[in-house]
Amino acid sequence: MQQKRQRKTAQRGFTLVEIAIVLVIIGLLLGGVLKGQGLIDSAKVKNIIQQSNSLSAAVNAYQDKFRALPGDDALGTSHVPNSAGNGNGDGQIGEYALAPQHLALGGFITGSYNGTTQFMTSAQGGAVYIYNDAVGGRAGNGIRFDNLPESFAEQIDNKLDDGVATTGSVRATAPYGNTSAITTRTAVFF
């Protein structure tokens, strides 16, 4: 009889209450991790929006000071010495490689750009261009952010514009909710 009792005690496992407590703890940990990732993503989106606002202000300040757009400035080499070149002065920033160099040499942004191959990067790590979008469905000068996750592009559009990928001043390369579009190109027009 004593041997039977010892076997029952030796075979004791976890109770449902203990398993439930472990599952609750795991759920809380996962929730914290997911919430933390959401906070990190939200901070990156805010950083990208801030970068967009700062670049728009820099372009406007350059235009106020020199009466030309950075990159498009026909007198770029005299306005900002050591510039790699001049733009054609047509009011369209087609010379997007010159734009960050003109802004940096003019003291409107920080960084060192050679005017031909060096581009700005976003908080997400994709390239950032100040350019004229003649093909993107809306002709106009703007700031383009490449390689943004779709959720970032949608958040930026919701915070700055109408939340629709193909209309307004913020546009993406594909409609939101398109699962095949993992990354998008978002342009903020000014």
Side-chain angles (χ1 to χ4, degrees):
M1 184 115 163
Q2 205 172 17
Q3 284 180 339
K4 283 185 183 180
R5 267 195 202 148
Q6 284 179 349
R7 269 195 238 156
K8 283 184 182 179
T9 343
Q11 293 180 353
R12 184 171 187 261
F14 294 107
T15 66
L16 288 176
V17 173
E18 291 170 331
I19 292 173
I21 291 171
V22 169
L23 290 175
V24 166
I25 291 171
I26 290 172
L28 290 172
L29 289 173
L30 285 175
V33 168
L34 293 175
K35 182 68 175 172
Q37 186 61 46
L39 291 172
I40 291 169
D41 289 350
S42 179
K44 285 182 181 179
V45 167
K46 286 179 183 176
N47 197 349
I48 291 168
I49 290 172
Q50 181 181 8
Q51 184 178 16
S52 171
N53 293 338
S54 296
L55 286 173
S56 292
V59 168
N60 290 333
Y62 187 97
Q63 193 171 23
D64 286 346
K65 184 173 182 178
F66 299 119
R67 304 287 181 241
L69 290 166
D72 183 53
D73 189 353
L75 300 172
T77 54
S78 63
H79 288 154
V80 285
N82 300 319
S83 171
N86 297 320
N88 61 12
D90 66 356
Q92 299 177 355
I93 306 174
E95 306 82 356
Y96 57 86
L98 281 175
Q101 186 188 42
H102 285 176
L103 290 173
L105 290 173
F108 299 100
I109 63 171
T110 58
S112 176
Y113 305 97
N114 65 14
T116 56
T117 58
Q118 293 173 325
F119 301 103
M120 298 173 283
T121 57
S122 71
Q124 182 59 28
V128 177
Y129 303 94
I130 299 172
Y131 79 120
N132 183 276
D133 187 12
V135 229
R138 175 186 166 143
N141 294 315
I143 301 163
R144 186 178 90 198
F145 294 90
D146 284 357
N147 299 323
L148 292 179
E150 181 183 353
S151 64
F152 283 27
E154 188 171 12
Q155 286 180 57
I156 291 167
D157 198 351
N158 282 324
K159 289 180 189 238
L160 297 179
D161 197 25
D162 60 1
V164 179
T166 55
T167 63
S169 63
V170 177
R171 300 205 178 181
T173 54
Y176 305 126
N178 181 358
T179 55
S180 64
I182 296 171
T183 59
T184 61
R185 182 174 77 203
T186 299
V188 181
F189 294 95
F190 50 84

